[in-house]
Structures are given as C-alpha cells and as structure tokens.
Amino acid sequence: MRTMAPQKTSSRLLALLSLLQAHRDWSGDDLAERLDITPRTVRRDIDRLRELGYPIRAFKGPSGGYRLDAGSQLPPLLFDDGQAVALALALRSVEGDGAIGEDAARALATVRQVMPPRLRRRVDMLRVTAVRTPGNDEASPAGTEVLLELGRVIRDREELRFDYGTEPVSARADPAQAAAGAGPPRRTQPHHLVAWRGRWYLLAWDLDRDDWRTFRVDRLRPRTPTGPRFTPREIPGGDVAAFVTGRFRGTDGSSADWPCRGQVVLDLPAEAVAPYAQDGIVEELGPERCRLILGSWSWTGLAATLGHFGTAIHVEGPPQLTDAFAELAARYASAAASTGPARA
C-alpha cells in the first residue's frame, strides 16, 4: 500500500491546475499518480476548481478523465513562484511599449497586489528598464484594439483591406481622413504579427502586388467589413522569423543572412571591436589586430560601416568589398576637392 505524503490543499490545487493547463486530457488515475493522491481526492479537488470558476469537463473512459476548457469568464489565476516572477518580468519588459505599455503597467500592478508578501519582495527586486531603440519614439501607437483585430483576422483567415500611410495613424491631423493621399486601400491575406526592434508589423500576402509585404501596424487603419476566407500560403522557407529578418536585411526572405558579407583585418584589439560589431564575428589575431566578418545590405554600406572603426583596414575578401572601398574613396576624394560655400 502506497503512503500518501501530506500536502496543503492550496498547493495541491495549484499543482492540479498546472497539470490541466499543460495537457489537454488527463485520466483520473494519471492525475492521482502525478500528484501522489487518491482518485477520490482528485475528484474533490476538481470540484473545488470548478467552484472557483475553472471550466473543467469530465469525459468517459476506462477510468474517467478531465479536460480544462476555455471559459466565458476569467477565473482567479493561480501561479507558482516561477510563473509569477516570469509574468512580472515579461510585463516590466514591455512597459515602455507605445501599444501595450500602459496596459502592461496596470496588469503588473494588479498581479503584484494579490501576491503574497514574500513573492512581492522578490518581484520588487527586479529593476528592469526597457530602452527603446533610438528614433523609435513613435513606435507602435496603434494600441491593443488594432493588434487584437489583426490577430482575429489572422486566426480566421480573412482577407483584410486597410489604408496605409507614410506616418503613424495617431500623428495624422484628421484620423477620419486617414486614406487621404495614401492611394487605394491595400488588399491582403494577413498571416502573422511580428515585433521587430520596438515596432509591430503585419506580415501579409499583398493581393495587388502578388508578393509578401511587411506593414507597420501603427501606419495602417483596417477597413470593414473584412473579405472572404482564404487558404494560407506557405511562408518561403517555413520560418517566419528567418523570413522577416531576411526581408529587413535586404534579401528576398529565403535567408536570414545579410546579402553582403565581407572579411577584413583591423589594426585594433578584439576587445575594442567586439562591442561595436553587432552580429559580426570577431577573431583575435594578436594584441593589436583582429579579424572581423560582418554583413550589410549593400557592399558600399558594408565598406562605410567598416570605416567607422577609424583604423587601417586590410580586406581579405570578397572582391566586391574591395571595389566598394574604391568607389567610396573616389566619392570622398571628390567631396574633399569640391569647393564649398565661402566661409565667413
């Protein structure tokens, strides 16, 4: 006969709820074994969770089973310590987001208020400052309503028309005339919402341009009603993150790598180059020399970036990078020789 270890009811309910959330169907015997309790106790605890508002459905079987369904009301939420700390950290990391920052701050205040003192102290020790990318002060002011609507049409696979401008919707003088000067509405098959460097983007198939496009969410205004349902196309490569990264780096999205990548040796120590190499590879060659492999959207752009290190540059390849340095040198020499406005 197995001896049951004593366990507080609240802790047992939390453990039971975590199991129900992690797996769709559980038999009563499996739950009893995982929690080290009797099937009778499982049934009692299921009833307690139902009284708290959790929609738990029983289904028939050799030993019976349970399933946690989605409910129409939000019941009291139970988190273990790790989940609570992770939630607080996630909410604090987006407090500076223009779209959901205010809602995140209010959610964090609500969660913190119901935490036990010991856990609240742990959360208060988390000092997180979310720093926006310079130049992104107006990022994603569209708000949660637009994000939720885009999420809905993506889920329901409905075609979407929207007006799209060159500035955020919130910055337009007359939001009621958001389409003015923006041309005809864009017709798309929306596929994914993507967060990239502090902004929200909609990845969609543009029906008029017959190609994939990314649209800044803060610049679009959805039109109603939505269009017919569609069968989703496959993202090239099958990886949304890699496809979007490639598009932002100037490729067709088939690769997340930069379209132009070169290799040089710099007369600088590796520790002086590494902090500014971004996603480049730095290899130490000696106390005052290092190898740098770096990518960019164009060869001239790569050459200009390498020039920022302010030291001698020895190109190891490819030839396109050498040609780009020669082109830049000619441009800079011409600029230096040109006669500017007379100085006072």
Side-chain angles (χ1 to χ4, degrees):
M1 181 176 178
R2 185 176 60 181
T3 301
M4 299 296 176
Q7 189 179 27
K8 290 183 179 180
T9 301
S10 58
S11 300
R12 197 174 64 241
L13 289 177
L14 177 58
L16 174 58
L17 183 59
S18 296
L19 290 175
L20 291 171
Q21 290 172 331
H23 195 285
R24 182 164 179 80
D25 294 333
W26 286 95
S27 70
D29 290 343
D30 286 342
L31 288 173
E33 182 178 356
R34 291 291 297 269
L35 297 171
D36 199 23
I37 57 178
T38 65
R40 181 180 179 182
T41 303
V42 170
R43 290 192 294 271
R44 288 203 305 263
D45 288 349
I46 290 291
D47 289 337
R48 291 189 179 99
L49 289 176
R50 286 169 174 161
E51 292 173 359
L52 291 173
Y54 291 95
I56 301 174
R57 179 186 302 177
F59 59 87
K60 296 181 179 180
S63 58
Y66 303 96
R67 173 185 305 158
L68 179 63
D69 286 343
S72 59
Q73 295 181 339
L74 183 65
L77 299 179
L78 298 177
F79 298 103
D80 59 30
D81 287 8
Q83 290 173 322
V85 172
L87 176 62
L89 184 60
L91 291 171
R92 282 194 169 162
S93 68
V94 296
E95 283 183 328
D97 188 283
I100 60 175
E102 183 178 348
D103 291 334
R106 292 191 298 108
L108 178 59
T110 301
V111 171
R112 183 186 177 280
Q113 187 175 8
V114 297
M115 285 180 176
R118 60 174 180 80
L119 192 55
R120 190 181 307 130
R121 286 193 295 269
R122 291 186 62 189
V123 170
D124 289 344
M125 291 173 61
L126 292 170
R127 300 301 181 192
V128 178
T129 301
V131 180
R132 289 191 182 186
T133 303
N136 278 11
D137 292 339
E138 84 288 5
S140 300
T144 55
E145 291 302 319
V146 173
L147 291 173
L148 288 173
E149 173 61 13
L150 294 179
R152 185 193 67 78
V153 296
I154 291 171
R155 180 202 62 195
D156 295 341
R157 300 175 179 178
E158 296 177 354
E159 291 185 4
L160 179 68
R161 297 178 306 133
F162 55 83
D163 298 311
Y164 195 67
T166 58
E167 60 182 7
V169 173
S170 61
R172 297 171 191 170
D174 187 357
Q177 298 179 355
R186 308 297 287 264
R187 300 187 311 116
T188 65
Q189 294 176 345
H191 281 257
H192 288 84
L193 277 172
V194 179
W196 174 272
R197 295 186 176 180
R199 288 193 174 99
W200 286 98
Y201 292 85
L202 172 68
L203 174 62
W205 178 263
D206 193 311
L207 292 167
D208 294 320
R209 290 157 179 80
D210 198 32
D211 193 10
W212 294 97
R213 291 289 189 270
T214 53
F215 303 93
R216 273 179 52 173
V217 172
D218 58 333
R219 291 181 176 178
L220 66 83
R221 179 179 292 275
R223 287 197 177 191
T224 56
T226 54
R229 291 175 178 264
F230 64 90
T231 300
R233 302 168 186 266
E234 183 178 354
I235 299 293
D239 188 326
V240 175
F243 178 78
V244 173
T245 300
R247 279 298 180 96
F248 278 116
R249 287 181 169 180
T251 71
D252 60 1
S254 59
S255 171
D257 201 1
W258 291 103
C260 303
R261 184 172 290 273
Q263 180 172 306
V264 300
V265 172
L266 303 177
D267 290 347
L268 286 173
E271 58 268 22
V273 174
Y276 308 100
Q278 299 179 2
D279 59 351
I281 300 174
V282 181
E283 178 185 352
E284 183 178 5
L285 299 179
E288 296 297 330
R289 281 168 63 87
C290 69
R291 176 176 288 111
L292 174 61
I293 302 174
L294 194 64
S296 181
W297 62 276
S298 72
W299 291 112
T300 53
L302 178 57
T305 299
L306 291 169
H308 292 167
F309 288 98
T311 188
I313 302 171
H314 311 279
V315 180
E316 294 188 332
Q320 295 94 322
L321 180 57
T322 302
D323 295 340
F325 274 116
E327 181 181 344
L328 281 181
R331 289 183 189 176
Y332 293 157
S334 175
S338 63
T339 303
R343 295 181 180 179

